[in-house]
Amino acid sequence: MRPYQRALWQAIINDGKNACAVHHRRAGKDEVLLNALAVKAMQRPANYAYMFPEISHARRSLWQAVNPHTGKRRIFETFPREMLSSDPNETEMRLNLVNGSTVMLFGSDQYDRLVGAGLAGIVSSEHALSHPSAYAFFSPMLRENGGFFWAISTPRGRNHFHGLYNFARGSDRWFAESLSVEQTGALTPDEIAEAKAEYIGLY
């Protein structure tokens, strides 16, 4: 775990809070929440979901993605075969865990297909690009089940993610955090300057 990721991990794993985190690209935010979801799914048998803006994003960005450093599929690095009770459902992008939990990937463009899913936890990746109505649809279900909602994204202007972040900042039940690349140190000042110069030259 990178040092700047510890506050988010503490809030969602140890403090049990909902989360709204604004992190820059390549900050490793999906890695943190995917592993945290695995912990929660093993601690409490229930149904869980990892949401991307579109179903195609879920398949490409996580379900089929291969870690270039290890050559392994990312989903199986977090959920090794020993955690699974059966073969993964490749069509539905669903994992059945040995303790009875299920973890599925889906897109916010099809959020209303999960009526009655009884979810106990949802991760929303790139929430700024997700369907604006998705959280409102799932919120009553999560409240009834004592579940959680974790939203992560890069900033995309003053939209529903911006509104959720501002709400989370004033709520005791939520963890809110905004980290820039200067704060995380993911890039050196020289690398940041070079990247800015490239973007200025291109656009």
Side-chain angles (χ1 to χ4, degrees):
M1 188 178 298
R2 305 171 193 175
Y4 62 82
Q5 297 171 335
R6 295 186 183 279
L8 175 58
W9 183 270
Q10 165 71 29
I12 59 181
I13 293 297
N14 297 331
D15 299 338
K17 292 189 175 185
N18 295 321
C20 185
V22 187
H23 289 183
H24 61 82
R25 293 186 62 203
R26 312 311 300 170
K29 48 191 177 293
D30 273 307
E31 296 293 341
V32 174
L33 294 196
L34 185 62
N35 280 276
L37 183 63
V39 172
K40 289 290 190 180
M42 290 302 291
Q43 289 177 338
R44 177 189 175 189
N47 298 323
Y48 301 88
Y50 209 104
M51 181 175 75
F52 285 80
E54 297 180 8
I55 190 69
S56 60
H57 297 158
R59 187 170 296 279
R60 181 178 62 251
S61 300
L62 187 55
W63 187 258
Q64 294 178 335
V66 174
N67 185 335
H69 302 290
T70 64
K72 298 179 181 179
R73 283 174 65 178
R74 290 178 63 194
I75 194 73
F76 296 133
E77 287 186 324
T78 304
F79 296 92
R81 300 284 179 168
E82 292 80 4
M83 289 176 63
L84 307 182
S85 63
S86 61
D87 290 336
N89 188 316
E90 296 285 348
T91 302
E92 297 181 2
M93 292 188 289
R94 188 183 72 246
L95 302 173
N96 298 317
L97 306 190
V98 292
N99 69 333
S101 286
T102 67
V103 176
M104 67 175 297
L105 277 62
F106 75 103
S108 72
D109 55 333
Q110 300 177 353
Y111 72 88
D112 55 351
R113 294 188 180 184
L114 295 182
V115 173
L119 298 172
I122 300 174
V123 179
S124 179
S125 181
E126 289 301 337
H127 190 69
L129 299 177
S130 71
H131 195 294
S133 298
Y135 173 67
F137 178 83
F138 291 117
S139 179
M141 180 191 305
L142 295 174
R143 290 179 188 277
E144 180 185 9
N145 295 334
F148 59 81
F149 188 83
W150 304 334
I152 52 174
S153 188
T154 50
R156 301 272 181 167
R158 297 180 180 275
N159 52 19
H160 59 286
F161 180 61
H162 180 263
L164 181 63
Y165 172 73
N166 285 334
F167 166 78
R169 290 175 63 191
S171 173
D172 293 335
R173 296 183 59 250
W174 285 75
F175 171 80
E177 180 180 61
S178 179
L179 294 177
S180 68
V181 69
E182 289 87 358
Q183 291 172 302
T184 64
L187 297 177
T188 67
D190 288 343
E191 288 172 330
I192 295 173
E194 181 182 14
K196 286 181 178 179
E198 287 177 354
Y199 287 144
I200 290 171
L202 286 170
Y203 303 111

